[in-house]
Amino acid sequence: MKSKHVKVIVRTRPTSDFANGILQISQETNSIHIHIPKNTESGFINNQQEDWDFKFNQILHNASQECIFDECGAPILKSLIDGYNGTILAYGQTGAGKTYTMTGTTENYVHRGLIPRMISQLYKEIANKTQMAITVRISYLEIYNEQMFDLLASLNDDETNTGVLKIVDENIGPSLVKNLSLQIANTEEEALNLLFEGETNRSISEHQLNKNSSRSHCIFTIYLESRSRVESSEKVIYSKLNLVDLAGSERLSKTHTSGVSLQEAKYINKSLTFLEQVIIALSDKKRDHIPYRQSKLTNVLRDALGGNCNTIMIANIWGVKEHIEETISTLRFGTRMMCVSNTPVLNVQYDPMALIKKYEREIKELKHELSMHDALNSKIKIQYEPYNDNQKYELRKQIKMYIDNENEEIPIINVRQIKESFNQFRKLYINLETELEENAKLLKHSANNNNLQTNGSNDNSKQEHENNNNKSNNDKDDGVGEIEGGGFGIGMAPNGKSLKGSKEKNKKKGSSKSSGTNEKSFDKDNNKIEDGLAISSSQVFKSGSSRNKNDHDVEGSKLNNIQDLPLIQKVLNKDNIGSNMGSRTSFSPPNRSEEFEIFKRGNGAEMNKILTENKAILKEKKKTAKGFAESVNKIKAQIDELRDIINKKKNNRNFDTLNTKEVLDEDEFHLMQQMQILKQHYRSKYDSLKNCRVEVEYCLRLVDQCRQKLMQEFEAWYDSLYGSHIAESEGMAAHANNNMNNIDQNKFKLDKINNQESYTYYKAKKNVDKKNIRQTILKGRHQKIPPIPSSKTISTLI
Ligand SMILES: Nc1ncnc2c1ncn2[C@@H]1O[C@H](COP(=O)(O)OP(=O)(O)OP(=O)(O)O)[C@@H](O)[C@H]1O
């Protein structure tokens, strides 16, 4: 961007009384020399200096109005139409010809000033610019005694623009003055009417020097908004032209004013002083702050002074002897003004609405082109709309398979698919992170529990050991605990009692009172759960979530309920649903067991794999525990047997050596030693068994969690595929069933048939449930058993 200095052109008012000896004008060199000899009789000149030399951009001595337009107006007008702001300031003492220069006189057309000439030329130019649609707006502002007046306010019909005029800090609109009316002028005549309207409204007061003299600053502004008729219409060029008729710059003493006129003169003087300060500040390159805000005039003209504008100042001088001091003052001001530089730039803006329309058009065309391109390359099925839920689901499936090495690669279709793939990868990663955190928590929790149990079992063991030594024969009936059994207390193994026998006993008792889970029943249990899923996954979901010590019973009762289900659903699917749902066609969701099998192979494959692996680990642990339990029982039986032999020997010896000191024979001594060894073995095996049990319980919990998650995922998957259909055709009954116990289910079904209100209620319930299921799934997706800590590790963790 190139900066330009403000152009200063001096115009002299023609006079027969020209101060020839004092004022020498050279139009060739554009310079003015003033010589005031000393000892002159005029008392108001500066005696300290005799000569003044000034040089300007141009001096128009006794020039015609037409010449002024050609030299000042025409170039500014041209750049205005090209999109650059322009300002022409008329500065000078009262009577020097500022108004004549800007407005001219109306009596004679030849004497019309710059404004009417520029208006006229503007419309001629607009008429020639056929490729551009140019809108002309006009404002006319008067600043009088530091107050702003809208000279065109009288034209506002709707009284919308009646607010107080205020200078806004940011030039957000075409005008810096808020509430200043902008009148559209479609023709030269309309523009001139506005000029004249403003003129008549102009504030005029009596003045000693010139009775028509204006004491106000007047700013006539032409705003152009240009859009190309041929190129894109969103590009708008805004430009404006300020034509400023400043108030007289003479000194207060010269005006001989008093009262109101004095006050006016003070304001004029003040604002011109501020104008001068701004100019001084602008011409000093070291100055950071330009005091534009000191006066309304400088604030309004801040764009024209040191901003984005082509600025010309016409310094009007009245070359008579008595005004020589004002002439010097005006020329000094002009000289300073020449130091001010502006940086005019093209004011291009983009109409946001038009821009949006353009982009929409472009997108449409590009889509069209893309679809043609795809068609030519036989890629007919490619879509460019955002991914819907089903597509996301499919992509996620592909990614999972890719991660599991089941897919060599994911075929790239388009950028949208790549983006969505990244999204899905991120989601999977976040899930994995959550899963790891949860596992870590679980591990810690388990370790804590283990420590407590290990400590407890150590104490128990000690106690048991002591008890065993003191036990009498009556204790023989107490059995030794085993992994499958509920109680795991160590007692005396009765003679002939075997592990098998105790298992039988437990079986008979039933597992409802058992604190542990029977291995056999556990496996059976697993089958049941999956069978349950086959019929009603939500039933299974419920069983998974409520798995506890009484699982066995729960499962049993569930099976009964499941058997009842098809009949109830038949009833629901038949007439009742139809009567409630009107003419909607009924939809029968696919068989859940088949779907579950599909799910396990597809989306749930990963989870199912983890579950299977975990179950295998669990089985292995149980097997180990069983082995320990068998060893413990075996040793216990040996101990009992040995104890019997020892006791018998002891009794016999007591009988033989009555009232004599007790002495062990060699045989008895050996038996006692064997007993010691057996007890040591017993303790060692018992400890191993305890530790193994902790691991089994830990595995059990995790297997249980895996199963629940598999079920939840299946639920969500099934629901996402068929949920809406089920809801539409079956009402919300089926799903509500899944989340209620049997009584509630039947109640709901009856309500559903008879009462529309409950239908709405359950519908709401279903939505909440659905949300909760999703949230649960999102919280922790897959939980794979982390490496099972050995009991030693668990102990050291605590
Ligand atoms: N170049 C000129 N040719 C002919 N007449 C002129 C010229 N300059 C000024 N005059 C006449 O001088 C008189 C005063 O001029 P004008 O009103 O334009 O002064 P002004 O500087 O605008 O004064 P004010 O500061 O009071 O507004 C007017 O009658 C005007 O017609």
Side-chain angles (χ1 to χ4, degrees):
M1 280 179 285
K2 213 175 161 188
S3 66
K4 273 184 178 177
H5 285 278
V6 171
K7 199 171 171 187
V8 178
I9 296 173
V10 177
R11 184 185 195 188
T12 58
R13 172 180 166 171
T15 172
S16 55
D17 201 15
F18 193 77
N20 272 323
I22 299 170
L23 200 62
Q24 289 168 17
I25 294 172
S26 165
Q27 281 188 274
E28 286 158 14
T29 56
N30 292 319
S31 58
I32 296 175
H33 178 77
I34 295 175
H35 176 76
I36 303 170
K38 279 183 182 175
N39 302 324
T40 177
E41 286 183 1
S42 309
F44 42 75
I45 57 165
N46 184 355
N47 288 323
Q48 299 298 311
Q49 194 173 347
E50 282 184 284
D51 296 288
W52 288 266
D53 282 298
F54 301 98
K55 196 167 167 59
F56 298 99
N57 295 102
Q58 202 167 4
I59 295 170
L60 300 172
H61 188 40
N62 297 334
S64 66
Q65 295 286 62
E66 191 182 354
C67 175
I68 294 294
F69 171 74
D70 290 343
E71 298 301 324
C72 308
I76 292 274
L77 188 75
K78 192 184 172 303
S79 55
L80 174 78
I81 293 167
D82 289 342
Y84 295 94
N85 294 338
T87 296
I88 300 178
L89 297 157
Y91 182 90
Q93 71 172 107
T94 297
K98 299 183 294 294
T99 308
Y100 183 79
T101 303
M102 297 311 292
T103 318
T105 56
T106 45
E107 293 90 48
N108 194 332
Y109 183 68
V110 181
H111 294 157
R112 70 193 189 283
L114 259 178
I115 298 175
R117 283 172 192 270
M118 289 189 95
I119 287 173
S120 174
Q121 186 61 29
L122 173 69
Y123 285 93
K124 276 182 198 153
E125 295 280 347
I126 288 174
N128 288 336
K129 288 230 167 202
T130 47
Q131 76 280 18
M132 298 294 287
I134 301 175
T135 309
V136 181
R137 291 184 182 83
I138 284 170
S139 73
Y140 207 172
L141 175 75
E142 181 182 38
I143 301 171
Y144 176 73
N145 289 359
E146 272 304 277
Q147 280 184 298
M148 293 186 292
F149 299 92
D150 185 353
L151 293 178
L152 302 179
S154 54
L155 297 171
N156 290 335
D157 306 328
D158 53 358
E159 297 183 358
T160 47
N161 249 353
T162 50
V164 178
L165 299 187
K166 202 177 161 191
I167 297 168
V168 285
D169 275 349
E170 283 172 27
N171 190 6
I172 40 173
S175 169
L176 281 170
V177 184
K178 194 180 167 187
N179 293 325
L180 181 66
S181 57
L182 292 180
Q183 304 290 339
I184 289 186
N186 293 315
T187 60
E188 182 185 346
E189 191 185 329
E190 280 177 20
L192 288 172
N193 283 344
L194 293 170
L195 171 67
F196 299 138
E197 175 74 20
E199 283 297 306
T200 53
N201 290 332
R202 195 170 173 180
S203 173
I204 296 168
S205 71
E206 281 295 315
H207 193 276
Q208 276 186 345
L209 289 174
N210 187 333
K211 66 175 185 176
N212 291 318
S213 171
S214 165
R215 300 269 174 87
S216 59
H217 309 292
C218 286
I219 305 168
F220 184 87
T221 311
I222 300 170
Y223 306 87
L224 298 190
E225 185 186 311
S226 316
R227 289 169 196 264
S228 171
R229 291 186 207 272
V230 282
E231 287 172 25
S232 56
S233 58
E234 72 280 350
K235 186 175 155 189
V236 191
I237 300 173
Y238 293 101
S239 54
K240 66 178 176 184
L241 171 65
N242 294 312
L243 298 162
V244 189
D245 183 1
L246 294 167
S249 60
E250 65 281 355
R251 294 171 305 162
L252 275 183
S253 58
K254 188 95 184 276
T255 59
H256 305 300
T257 51
S258 62
V260 176
S261 293
L262 176 68
Q263 198 60 32
E264 286 176 353
K266 273 183 182 170
Y267 273 117
I268 295 161
N269 237 277
K270 214 169 144 189
S271 63
L272 287 174
T273 307
F274 288 137
L275 177 64
E276 196 159 357
Q277 284 179 8
V278 166
I279 300 305
I280 290 167
L282 283 167
S283 50
D284 182 356
K285 284 182 181 147
K286 287 176 194 160
R287 286 280 292 269
D288 288 337
H289 176 68
I290 310 297
Y292 288 115
R293 292 185 188 197
Q294 285 185 129
S295 73
K296 297 272 187 310
L297 178 72
T298 49
N299 217 349
V300 171
L301 291 179
R302 66 173 185 252
D303 221 21
L305 308 166
N308 164 27
C309 199
N310 287 310
T311 304
I312 291 181
M313 191 187 102
I314 301 174
N316 290 94
I317 55 168
W318 192 355
V320 293
K321 197 176 172 186
E322 61 263 44
H323 297 311
I324 198 72
E325 197 176 350
E326 263 64 44
T327 300
I328 292 171
S329 169
T330 301
L331 296 178
R332 270 187 182 152
F333 184 78
T335 309
R336 282 199 204 103
M337 196 68 169
M338 284 171 68
C339 300
V340 176
S341 54
N342 288 334
T343 315
V345 289
L346 199 65
N347 302 299
V348 181
Q349 286 183 25
Y350 289 88
D351 181 348
M353 291 314 291
L355 213 57
I356 288 169
K357 275 185 188 164
K358 182 197 161 193
Y359 290 147
E360 279 176 352
R361 220 173 29 244
E362 268 182 25
I363 288 168
K364 208 174 163 187
E365 282 168 11
L366 284 170
K367 273 186 178 176
H368 189 66
E369 204 166 306
L370 200 59
S371 61
M372 277 183 66
H373 174 84
D374 288 340
L376 289 171
N377 287 286
S378 311
K379 294 178 185 171
I380 300 161
K381 283 185 181 173
I382 296 177
Q383 287 181 358
Y384 297 95
E385 302 307 321
Y387 264 52
N388 61 30
D389 285 349
N390 270 344
Q391 286 170 314
K392 279 181 190 170
Y393 168 73
E394 286 301 326
L395 186 63
R396 196 183 167 89
K397 216 161 76 177
Q398 275 188 335
I399 289 170
K400 275 185 179 173
M401 287 170 80
Y402 175 73
I403 291 172
D404 291 342
N405 261 338
E406 288 171 35
N407 260 357
E408 286 276 307
E409 58 179 28
I410 302 167
I412 292 170
I413 301 169
N414 53 25
V415 178
R416 209 176 288 257
Q417 182 229 13
I418 295 169
K419 277 185 185 168
E420 188 53 43
S421 298
F422 277 117
N423 275 340
Q424 293 299 335
F425 269 114
R426 183 168 54 190
K427 278 180 191 167
L428 285 171
Y429 175 76
I430 290 167
N431 286 344
L432 195 69
E433 261 188 343
T434 321
E435 182 191 314
L436 284 172
E437 275 170 25
E438 278 181 7
N439 279 348
K441 272 184 211 162
L442 208 69
L443 193 65
K444 203 177 169 189
H445 180 70
S446 171
N448 284 337
N449 284 347
N450 187 40
N451 188 35
L452 285 173
Q453 285 182 20
T454 311
N455 290 339
S457 65
N458 284 342
D459 292 345
N460 285 344
S461 163
K462 221 185 251 173
Q463 188 67 40
E464 290 297 336
H465 181 62
E466 280 168 14
N467 286 346
N468 285 345
N469 285 339
N470 301 325
K471 282 273 181 202
S472 67
N473 287 346
N474 298 340
D475 292 331
K476 283 179 186 175
D477 281 350
D478 294 342
V480 175
E482 53 180 302
I483 185 72
E484 294 89 348
F488 208 82
I490 287 249
M492 299 286 281
N495 282 338
K497 286 228 168 154
S498 69
L499 194 67
K500 206 177 175 184
S502 70
K503 202 188 259 179
E504 290 287 322
K505 195 179 163 189
N506 277 343
K507 260 189 185 177
K508 274 179 195 163
K509 270 186 193 169
S511 60
S512 62
K513 285 178 187 171
S514 153
S515 60
T517 309
N518 187 296
E519 185 178 346
K520 214 171 188 179
S521 71
F522 179 75
D523 284 341
K524 196 180 162 195
D525 202 37
N526 285 349
N527 290 337
K528 265 189 208 170
I529 289 165
E530 292 180 12
D531 289 348
L533 252 176
I535 299 166
S536 165
S537 73
S538 51
Q539 291 273 349
V540 179
F541 170 71
K542 202 170 175 182
S543 78
S545 62
S546 65
R547 177 170 290 280
N548 53 27
K549 288 173 188 173
N550 299 323
D551 266 358
H552 209 98
D553 285 352
V554 176
E555 292 300 332
S557 65
K558 224 172 281 150
L559 273 179
N560 293 335
N561 301 337
I562 288 161
Q563 281 158 7
D564 294 341
L565 263 179
L567 182 67
I568 299 165
Q569 280 186 337
K570 245 185 213 173
V571 176
L572 281 169
N573 287 339
K574 220 180 167 187
D575 307 319
N576 303 319
I577 297 298
S579 64
N580 267 348
M581 303 304 286
S583 59
R584 285 183 201 177
T585 51
S586 86
F587 168 83
S588 51
N591 184 297
R592 276 185 182 269
S593 64
E594 284 169 15
E595 288 300 304
F596 184 62
E597 287 309 313
I598 294 167
F599 174 74
K600 279 202 291 188
R601 285 195 299 276
N603 193 42
E606 189 189 349
M607 193 66 238
N608 192 45
K609 194 176 156 199
I610 295 167
L611 177 64
T612 313
E613 281 171 12
N614 288 349
K615 279 204 282 193
I617 296 169
L618 175 66
K619 202 171 173 184
E620 195 57 40
K621 286 285 154 193
K622 279 187 169 186
K623 203 173 159 190
T624 314
K626 195 177 166 185
F628 282 133
E630 279 171 355
S631 302
V632 166
N633 280 323
K634 204 172 162 187
I635 298 168
K636 188 75 172 69
Q638 285 173 357
I639 288 172
D640 290 345
E641 206 176 319
L642 196 61
R643 185 178 285 122
D644 278 350
I645 297 166
I646 291 170
N647 283 341
K648 264 181 199 165
K649 272 212 172 265
K650 196 179 172 184
N651 287 340
N652 290 338
R653 180 166 40 80
N654 286 345
F655 183 75
D656 294 341
T657 57
L658 199 64
N659 296 326
T660 57
K661 226 178 175 185
E662 205 175 283
V663 180
L664 294 179
D665 63 19
E666 200 177 330
D667 217 17
E668 212 177 328
F669 179 73
H670 274 298
L671 288 172
M672 293 293 276
Q673 271 186 329
Q674 267 181 30
M675 178 65 108
Q676 284 295 325
I677 293 165
L678 275 176
K679 279 186 178 174
Q680 273 171 8
H681 280 172
Y682 175 85
R683 264 199 300 276
S684 151
K685 289 286 174 194
Y686 176 75
D687 284 347
S688 304
L689 179 62
K690 278 272 177 193
N691 289 335
C692 197
R693 274 207 68 208
V694 171
E695 290 175 2
V696 167
E697 278 169 21
Y698 172 72
C699 293
L700 255 173
R701 266 202 308 278
L702 288 183
V703 164
D704 211 30
Q705 280 170 6
C706 283
R707 191 184 301 112
Q708 281 181 36
K709 273 174 191 163
L710 181 68
M711 291 161 193
Q712 286 167 358
E713 286 197 0
F714 170 70
E715 271 302 305
W717 177 81
Y718 189 84
D719 201 36
S720 71
L721 288 181
Y722 310 111
S724 59
H725 298 294
I726 296 167
E728 271 179 27
S729 60
E730 295 188 358
M732 309 317 289
H735 194 86
N737 280 341
N738 297 337
N739 296 316
M740 290 184 292
N741 62 33
N742 255 354
I743 300 162
D744 286 345
Q745 285 175 32
N746 293 330
K747 188 176 181 302
F748 166 62
K749 285 161 195 167
L750 288 170
D751 281 356
K752 164 87 184 63
I753 296 159
N754 302 317
N755 190 351
Q756 184 61 31
E757 271 179 35
S758 64
Y759 172 72
T760 316
Y761 168 81
Y762 288 119
K763 189 175 176 182
K765 174 92 171 66
K766 190 239 171 189
N767 287 338
V768 175
D769 288 346
K770 209 166 157 185
K771 204 179 100 203
N772 287 340
I773 291 169
R774 284 208 177 105
Q775 276 173 353
T776 318
I777 293 166
L778 278 175
K779 265 185 195 169
R781 272 243 173 225
H782 307 137
Q783 189 142 349
K784 192 169 177 175
I785 296 181
I788 297 169
S790 70
S791 42
K792 267 188 185 169
T793 322
I794 292 169
S795 312
T796 47
L797 274 171
I798 299 159

